[in-house]
Amino acid sequence: MTDMEGMMPQLTLNADAAKVETPTLTLGAEPAAPALEPEKPKAEPVVIDDSMLTEAEKKVVDDFSKKIDLNDSQLILQYGVAAQKGVATFSESALSSVRTKDLGEVGDTLSSLVVELKSFGQEEEEKGLFGFFKKAGNKMEAMKAQYGKAEANVEKIARELEQHQVVLMKDIAMFDQMYELNLKYYKELTMYIIAGKKRLAEVRSGQLEELRKKAEASGRQEDAQAYNDLTQMCDRFDKKLHDLELTRMVSIQMGPQTRMLQNNDTLMVEKIQSSLVNTIPLWKSQMVLALGLENSRKATAAQTAVTNATNELLKKNADMLKMGTIATAKEAERAIIDIETLQHTNQQLISTLDEVIQIQRDGAQKRREAEVELGRIEGELKQKLMELRG
């Protein structure tokens, strides 16, 4: 089988024939909202026809449309259900993944890292570096012990971050699989709709028209009923195609939504990576510098002249430590996620829910209007049948 044949969507009249396991995700970030853009000209409506298909797909649709029997009520009931179930399962899987995640776990771990990095030497900062270096010889041992404890905690947190990173990277790969799976459902639904419309048009212009003429010519009740039955089947099939169009729109929306989730996981991985390769090594180098400064103080404390020189060195080191501490503190105090981003995400989520509700309301309104139109059509048919019997 060629690569093109392997990727070709498969159409079936059996609802249970195409069951695909949807990937399960474990951890990720909240869906990110797209950036606001300037108002654009009104988009042209998309017409679902074979112009959006390849030549190979057109052949599949043509061959498949010939198999559609609108006299088979079970076929109409099951038409396209396999693809619809796939989209429904896909949507539920994505929703379940977002709903069951502990969204604050990664952020809590990063916050713990910041607190641990800031804790080392806090007592000395409060009392001043001059007082610290003037203390007894056991200060060096206390400083090393404090560093050892902090280092152990930082290494533990680093391992947790690495675990989060692995999980997020798996999720990113899984989102790629989900996107491709959704793309397959979208293509299948499109082909089901095009094949169905093609067959419906053929039946209405051919077989249905022949039955109408036959009923008018014969005046027999059975001929009029046959015409009426096929008309009802065509109407039911038309509504089924409309349902498939709604499901197709859901599939279209799931594409960018999946990419949004994937993008947020990618941003979180990059944040973790920055902490592991930049923040932690920088902190360790600063601790080594502090220990080295203490050794220098003990080596130069024997003589007054050396002590004076050491004092000047300590002042310079204090300035260096201040600059390094301030820079580190500023970096540590940076928020993991900006509040504006969270506000924007929340607004976009609310907006999305509002639009979904509006789409559902519009759909309900259209169905009610369709019911009125069907009633009118049924009345006309009944009147025509009465005329034929007359």
Side-chain angles (χ1 to χ4, degrees):
M1 180 180 292
T2 65
D3 293 340
M4 179 173 289
E5 291 173 342
M7 293 297 294
M8 182 69 67
Q10 301 297 316
L11 304 186
T12 176
L13 298 176
N14 185 355
D16 297 325
K19 293 184 178 179
V20 182
E21 293 185 2
T22 303
T24 300
L25 305 185
T26 55
L27 182 64
E30 282 283 357
L36 294 178
E37 297 181 357
E39 185 176 354
K40 297 181 179 179
K42 187 176 181 181
E44 292 295 330
V46 175
V47 178
I48 304 177
D49 56 27
D50 58 5
S51 64
M52 58 180 61
L53 302 179
T54 64
E55 291 301 322
E57 291 169 346
K58 288 179 182 179
K59 185 178 185 306
V60 172
V61 167
D62 289 338
D63 295 341
F64 184 75
S65 66
K66 297 174 183 177
K67 302 177 183 178
I68 302 174
D69 182 8
L70 294 188
N71 293 301
D72 186 347
S73 60
Q74 280 299 114
L75 181 146
I76 294 176
L77 182 64
Q78 297 296 326
Y79 187 80
V81 169
Q84 284 182 306
K85 287 182 177 179
V87 173
T89 303
F90 175 87
S91 301
E92 179 60 28
S93 175
L95 177 62
S96 176
S97 172
V98 175
R99 184 173 57 235
T100 57
K101 288 174 185 174
D102 184 0
L103 301 177
E105 187 174 352
V106 177
D108 291 342
T109 305
L110 288 171
S111 297
S112 299
L113 174 62
V114 172
V115 171
E116 196 62 45
L117 296 183
K118 291 176 62 179
S119 65
F120 180 80
Q122 188 174 35
E123 179 181 353
E124 285 69 39
E125 285 186 21
E126 294 175 353
K127 296 182 179 180
L129 287 174
F130 181 79
F132 169 73
F133 285 119
K134 282 292 185 179
K135 288 187 177 180
N138 62 352
K139 188 61 181 178
M140 186 66 174
E141 287 69 25
M143 188 176 182
K144 289 180 179 179
Q146 185 184 17
Y147 172 71
K149 179 180 178 182
E151 184 182 31
N153 292 335
V154 169
E155 292 295 338
K156 178 181 178 182
I157 295 172
R159 288 192 296 271
E160 293 178 0
L161 288 174
E162 289 173 348
Q163 293 174 0
H164 288 313
Q165 187 179 31
V166 170
V167 173
L168 286 171
M169 292 180 69
K170 289 181 179 178
D171 284 353
I172 291 171
M174 195 69 69
F175 275 127
D176 279 331
Q177 297 178 19
M178 292 182 69
Y179 183 85
E180 293 299 325
L181 182 63
N182 183 64
L183 189 62
K184 173 180 177 293
Y185 292 144
Y186 158 76
K187 180 62 71 173
E188 287 183 357
L189 287 167
T190 300
M191 295 173 69
Y192 273 120
I193 293 168
I194 295 174
K197 287 185 174 181
K198 180 180 177 68
R199 183 57 178 164
L200 182 60
E202 291 174 351
V203 171
R204 281 177 168 170
S205 63
Q207 184 181 357
L208 186 62
E209 185 64 18
E210 291 174 0
L211 288 177
R212 184 187 69 79
K213 291 179 180 179
K214 181 179 179 181
E216 289 178 349
S218 67
R220 291 195 298 267
Q221 171 64 28
E222 57 269 27
D223 292 338
Q225 187 60 53
Y227 170 71
N228 181 66
D229 289 344
L230 185 56
T231 300
Q232 293 293 330
M233 288 293 191
C234 289
D235 291 340
R236 285 179 54 199
F237 191 63
D238 194 17
K239 184 178 184 301
K240 168 61 72 171
L241 294 179
H242 177 67
D243 290 341
L244 291 178
E245 289 177 348
L246 296 178
T247 305
R248 177 178 176 272
M249 180 53 63
V250 173
S251 179
I252 290 174
Q253 293 173 346
M254 284 302 296
Q257 290 170 350
T258 301
R259 288 307 192 202
M260 289 181 209
L261 290 170
Q262 186 182 48
N263 182 63
N264 279 276
D265 281 359
T266 302
L267 293 176
M268 187 60 69
V269 168
E270 292 173 352
K271 188 69 176 180
I272 293 175
Q273 185 72 14
S274 177
S275 296
L276 292 175
V277 302
N278 294 323
T279 305
I280 295 177
L282 178 62
W283 174 78
K284 289 183 177 180
S285 67
Q286 292 300 310
M287 296 307 101
V288 171
L289 176 61
L291 292 173
L293 291 174
E294 174 63 12
N295 285 326
S296 297
R297 185 202 66 82
K298 294 176 65 176
T300 58
Q303 299 177 1
T304 303
V306 176
T307 299
N308 292 335
T310 301
N311 289 334
E312 292 298 323
L313 177 62
L314 290 176
K315 290 178 181 179
K316 293 179 181 180
N317 285 335
D319 293 339
M320 292 175 60
L321 285 175
K322 179 179 179 181
M323 293 173 60
T325 302
I326 291 175
T328 302
K330 286 181 179 179
E331 181 64 25
E333 287 296 330
R334 291 181 61 187
I336 302 303
I337 302 176
D338 294 336
I339 189 64
E340 291 81 4
T341 299
L342 294 177
Q343 292 172 342
H344 185 69
T345 301
N346 192 57
Q347 291 173 358
Q348 289 300 106
L349 179 58
I350 293 173
S351 175
T352 300
L353 293 175
D354 289 339
E355 290 181 11
V356 170
I357 293 173
Q358 186 60 44
I359 290 172
Q360 292 174 345
R361 291 174 178 171
D362 292 344
Q365 179 63 28
K366 289 181 180 179
R367 287 194 295 274
R368 288 193 292 269
E369 292 173 358
E371 289 178 1
V372 174
E373 181 64 17
L374 288 174
R376 185 187 66 78
I377 293 173
E378 183 179 353
E380 290 180 354
L381 290 174
K382 288 182 179 179
Q383 182 178 352
K384 179 58 66 177
L385 291 174
M386 292 299 295
E387 292 176 0
L388 292 174
R389 286 197 296 272

